[in-house]
Amino acid sequence: MVAMFLTGCGAEQAVKKGDRFYALGEYYDASTKYKKAYSQTPAKERTQRGKVALKMAECYRKINYTQKAIAAYNNAIRYKQTDSLTYLYLGQQLMKNGNYKEAEKAFQTFLDSMRNDGSTESRNYEQLAKTGIQSAQKAPQWKKEGSAYTVKRERFFDSRRAEYSPMLAGEENDQLFFTSTRNQAKGDELSGITGTKNADIFMSQKDDKGKWQRPEVIDSELNSDDDEGACCFSPDGRTMYLTQCRTDASYPRYATIVTSNRSDASWSKATELTITHDTLSAYAHPAVAPDGEWLYFASNMPGGMGGYDIWRFRLTDKGLSGVENLGAPINTPGDELFPTFRPNGDLYFSSNGHEGMGGLDIYFVEDGKVQHPGYPLNSQGDDFGMTFEGLLNQGFFSSNRGDGKGWDHIYSFYNPEIVQTVKGWVYEQDGYELPQAVVYMVGNDGTNMKLSVKGDGSFTQPIKPGVDYVFLGTCKGFLNHQEQLRVEPVTESEEYVLQFPLASITAPVLIENIFYDFDKATLRPESTAALDKLVALLNENANVTIELSAHCDYKGSAEYNKGLAQRRAEAVVEYLTAHGIPEDRLKPVGYGKEKPKTIRRKLTEKYPFLKEGDVLTEEFIKKLDEEQQEICNQLNRRTEFIVLRTTYGLFPKK
């Protein structure tokens, strides 16, 4: 009798401790107390065992212990201690376990027994159950049909714990950031929520051969003893947005969105991004739109459609502006989480409120409609957190499919859909990339876009078949350059490459491939292509006047060289005027050997014996060997132009 009394007291104390942990959101710790209480409660105390079983089931559901949750719900049902949502939640867990027929029965039982009082909450639960039935009926067929996706578990990133929400970064997509609760995470304590260490952000880098290196925790103030994860980046890669959940021993922990800035290769300590002043709601899973103007996130704050919804706000120079709910059809009475963007602008997200295969499924928005990509991208488990490698439909995502403990792992995906893209490079003519450049893209389908370039001066943009595009490369201090592209339909993915060499306004610009008859000013036919490019450049920059100069090497008399150079410069001007360039925009000058070439840094890569700033005078050249002398003489024999004014035609001639 005394033993039974002590056992009963122990069970009661365990339940009380479990309730305290549950109130703080520490579901793993709560489940251990409820499990202890359940085992200490005599079998004949059916009511109490049923109540504890239901508490256990709720904990297991929240920490993704699917099979344990199913067993606990069934125990609660066996002991007749269900609540109004037991069969709804049981149906959802059965879906995650792939038990579709049993799930359909559970959802139907819920609908048969529910009392719809007309409230929004009742309607939401009813909708979730009806969607559950439709999902249970369709999921087996989706799995049978499959899709074009190929999915592979990337075990290289695996640990003995969870890793999820991968995010590619770097101009070549050569960095993979992800969240993990592996033992290398900071802090010593185990989370009362998951039973593992608090999550940190880890990063893997590709080596020179394109192989991923061993993941390392980000070694800066970014990670803390708290939970950090689910990160994304601003378009320039210098700001990280991430989710953080701080520890408080006496208060429920709500997720917040924080930011970190990159200085060189180090990330700063995170600072909170205040979206609203509501401290009782969670804000998580940030995603920056490709244009950098909007930040999307998941939240359960008031004003949504039930559970977690996807919201967004505008990012401005003055801060955040205009928080808004995306509404239907994206949001549902269920949970919509983990928004992310494909670089072409398509929104992807995960949800358990749309028709799916179980748990969280991945969806994308096309023409205003929510689309389900099918199996095997989606599974009976939780599938979420996509990141795309360039504009092709490939990259990484996370899933807990097939993991008995409910832990997430990183998978790769590939879909061989046809994607047409254009890649452009903007650089200084005879020089290096121009990361400050802007490219304007106009298409006859109504496209009108302003494209920023990466640090290497490149941009990549999706394009559509059957459209004529015009691209204008611009940068302060340089002349504009235009390229045109006609996109034809193709049967496989194709990338068009365009070059945008911008001529400097302040430095001489070499006109390559201008050839004259020997010792004459007659232009050779092979010069036509280069001259036509110069005509196009002057037409694209109609307010520019230039000095067109010809230069010789030091051989021969100065007077003869200067006269020959003058005639050659005039020959080029004559060609330009014959092709529509006004004569008063052109000033021909023959310098002969008066202005030897000054070497710029880019040229030293081709000719290592030269240094930046070298002036190819006769004295300098004669100190070199015979082969190097000939190279320098060829460099001196050149045709150049320099911009004199950029105001031609802007003002009356008076």
Side-chain angles (χ1 to χ4, degrees), residues 149 166-169 173 176 340-344 346-349 362-364 377 385-397 413 415 417:
Y149 281 92
M167 181 58 60
L168 285 162
N173 290 313
L176 186 70
T340 191
F341 283 93
R342 190 171 169 180
N344 66 5
D346 289 347
L347 172 65
Y348 284 69
F349 64 97
I362 293 169
Y363 302 84
F364 66 95
L377 184 66
M386 295 186 79
T387 184
F388 291 86
E389 187 175 356
L391 289 164
L392 296 178
N393 197 350
Q394 65 185 40
F396 300 94
F397 71 107
F413 70 91
N415 185 323
E417 68 182 27

Side-chain angles (χ1 to χ4, degrees), residues 184-203:
Q184 291 78 16
K186 291 186 176 181
D188 298 320
E189 296 184 3
L190 299 182
S191 167
I193 302 174
T194 62
T196 64
K197 296 185 77 171
N198 283 332
D200 276 346
I201 294 178
F202 288 72
M203 193 266 280

Side-chain angles (χ1 to χ4, degrees), residues 424-436:
W425 302 86
V426 188
Y427 53 93
E428 180 182 2
Q429 195 166 319
D430 303 324
Y432 293 90
E433 62 274 358
L434 294 171
Q436 298 83 25

